[in-house]
Amino acid sequence: MRRPSPDRPASFTRLPRVSRRELLTGAGALAIGVGLSRSVRAAPRLHLRLLETSDLHMFVLDWDYYHEKPDPTVGLNKVASLIEAARAEAPNALLFDNGDLIQGSLFGDFLAREEGLANGRVHPVFAVMNKLRYDAATLGNHEFNFGLDFLERALAGAAFPYVSANIERADGREFAPPFRILERRLVDEDGLAHSLRIGVIGFAPPQIMMWDKAHLEGRLRCGDIIASARRHAPALREKCDVLVTLCHAGINTRPAAENEENAALQLAAVPGIDAVMMGHSHRVFPGPDYAGLEGVDAERGALAGVPAVMPGFWGSHLGVVDLSLAHDGARWIVDRFAVEARPIYRRESGRVVALAPADPAVEKIVSIEHEATKSWVDQPIGRLQAPLHSFFVWIGVDPVAALVNAAQLAYARPLLAATPYAELPLLSAAAAFRAGHTPEAYIDLAPGPIALRDVADIYPYPNTLAALRVTGAGLREWLEHSARIFERIDPADERPQPLINRRTPSYNFDVIAGVTYKIDVSKPARYDASGKPIEPDASRIVDLRYLDREIDPAQEFVVVTNNYRADGGGKFPGLDGRGVVLRAPDSNRDAIERFLRAGEAVATERPWSFAPLGRRVTVAFDSSPSAARRLADAPGLRAAGLENAGYLRFEYDLT
Ligand code: MN
Ligand code: MG
């Protein structure tokens, strides 16, 4: 961990904590005057507020298109009233968006797939953001999901600048300027106006080249975040008074690898940076998610001593960074700060309590497209014979993965038939996309007609279908990495033990159909999140069989999955884009839609179960309160009671 930059006052990280109220009113200068030099105390002082949205994912309204009802936990229309309130408190405020904006809800899909923004139409999200007077923004990884042409048509509607310092076109021309210097007239504590130059520089995860290879290869380049920052920051800092980074990345405390994905902490340590706006990880900072990490002040909101914020996802929070600037005679110096992520709601005994009203002006701007999206997603496309839910994926009861895998196999089989791989056994991998990142985030569909809306619920990402060649040995490592999500269970402990490590995203838990296997949760996980073996001798995957025979490590298979996984997403060992034998032009969601329209049946065989532990051990996991209605699908499972966060806890005996 490097120290804070040398051009910062030495007292920067040791300054006493100042309340936000003191910082806003200037009373803080008196409260902590002893910590400041005489010249600073006598100099003009002004307060600059930086506001951030990130990972909005086209949750423009507080509306759940999947379930056709308002959702009080999402929505830029809710954040809009927090923005208004934050501006009313602090006249010198700038507003930024940190990316993952245009993709992620059915509203975004409708606009990309059906509307296409022909004839210079302004993307509705930019109509809203222009009205909200955003000052600048950067690109997230999901901006590229619909291809560059759509992205460029969308960006043309933004009345504010986009910056991206580590992205350029393949021919070396810029895609967006690396940075912008915003000139703003700001008012100091005595009411005098000063002209300040606020530098804004942006960064996206270099992994976009892998995740959206099909759209970007040969068209774009994306370099290392830290290297790009070091290249631009010194000269930029000379030209501005405050330097703000828009970094579509979260926090990783390990020493940064080349092309580090979550590089915010290392970025904060680059000399000259005054604030880091974060995102991508869909977490809240400051807050307990990152407590106790080296270089991270999760209470105060600082990385390497530099103020930093991350405002959750889907409009759950507004990031607020307050900087107090003093003029030392030659230049402005940031000498104090306060950071918070302001929520639009909180949970009280599992109930959602709204903390921000919806801004009706936002809904008015997008109402035509919003209504059109609602009718688009309502079209029925087929019928479900049995309930489809993701309540019990952690014990191997996963009808959703069964459907996705059946659809992927049905799609890929004829395409592979004409290739040299036709003779290899065909398997399919599906991840648990909607398995409880909030108590509402589960799939829960009754038998009967199924609409397009439901398909997007089943498969929320616009990934495209891909298939790759893998050996029996490689298949085992793939499953070992998936099994990382389970906590290690102690067979000697008679108390209920937590089954799932919530820090591991459920979308990296793949169920592979076409083989059968058991998962031994008494063993440690072989891999860490980066795909490095941490317990090279440990093996959670046992009894891995194809056609009821133990798999030969040298045997070859073809596995159907999505482009994200095939190209290295989730850092699965051995999966890096090599071995891909099919890149389909269609999305996995399209494959599911086709499968449902064709009315084909889904196999009921479950690919995996837990390996017996020799004695009775009870594990516990959280699911939706609605899961109680589907207990009949999971023999041996019992409800253990409601949790404060709004989940229903279940217990299950491994025998
Ligand atoms: Mn995101
Ligand atoms: Mg992202």
Side-chain angles (χ1 to χ4, degrees), residues 55 57 99-100 140-142 205 211 248 279-282:
D55 298 273
H57 285 284
D100 277 7
N141 50 301
H142 284 289
W211 297 333
H248 188 81
H280 186 53
S281 300
H282 290 200

Side-chain angles (χ1 to χ4, degrees), residues 379-580:
Q379 304 162 19
I381 56 158
R383 292 188 71 81
L384 285 181
Q385 305 304 325
L388 195 69
H389 59 79
S390 60
F391 295 140
F392 310 130
V393 298
W394 307 127
I395 58 167
V397 176
D398 194 348
V400 177
L403 168 66
V404 172
N405 279 328
Q408 291 180 169
L409 289 168
Y411 178 97
R413 197 168 279 121
L415 290 182
L416 288 163
T419 72
Y421 313 106
E423 300 308 310
L424 297 179
L426 189 61
L427 314 177
S428 178
F433 289 137
R434 288 176 62 78
H437 59 269
T438 70
E440 292 79 29
Y442 290 88
I443 292 157
D444 180 17
L445 300 172
I450 180 166
L452 188 55
R453 164 188 345 116
D454 304 319
V455 180
D457 196 11
I458 292 165
Y459 210 103
Y461 300 100
N463 295 132
T464 49
L465 199 127
L468 59 135
R469 209 155 56 146
V470 66
T471 62
L475 194 63
R476 179 178 292 277
E477 302 315 308
W478 188 330
L479 291 168
E480 288 286 356
H481 196 261
S482 288
R484 199 169 64 78
I485 198 158
F486 295 105
E487 294 282 5
R488 186 177 185 181
I489 301 301
D490 178 2
D493 193 340
E494 285 171 6
R495 293 164 302 180
Q497 301 176 54
L499 179 63
I500 294 303
N501 177 351
R502 282 224 158 264
R503 284 182 162 267
T504 303
S506 71
Y507 58 76
N508 282 334
F509 178 70
D510 275 352
V511 170
I512 298 188
V515 289
T516 57
Y517 50 99
K518 294 198 163 54
I519 299 178
D520 183 349
V521 285
S522 71
K523 299 292 193 307
R526 183 183 293 187
Y527 290 105
D528 70 5
S530 69
K532 264 208 310 278
I534 38 173
E535 295 277 354
D537 300 326
S539 188
R540 286 184 158 180
I541 301 303
V542 293
D543 208 14
L544 175 57
R545 291 170 176 269
Y546 174 67
L547 295 180
D548 223 18
R549 278 208 305 274
E550 276 277 349
I551 281 177
D552 175 352
Q555 184 179 359
E556 288 216 301
F557 298 87
V558 172
V559 184
V560 194
T561 176
N562 58 35
N563 63 311
Y564 171 80
R565 184 72 80 239
D567 289 329
K571 302 197 167 111
F572 280 60
L575 304 192
D576 58 3
R578 284 176 289 186
V580 173

Side-chain angles (χ1 to χ4, degrees), residues 298-311:
E299 197 187 325
R300 206 172 164 222
L303 301 177
V306 175
V309 72
M310 192 187 320

Side-chain angles (χ1 to χ4, degrees), residues 80-94:
S81 48
L82 294 184
I83 292 169
E84 195 186 338
R87 281 174 167 156
E89 295 161 4
N92 301 327
L94 275 76

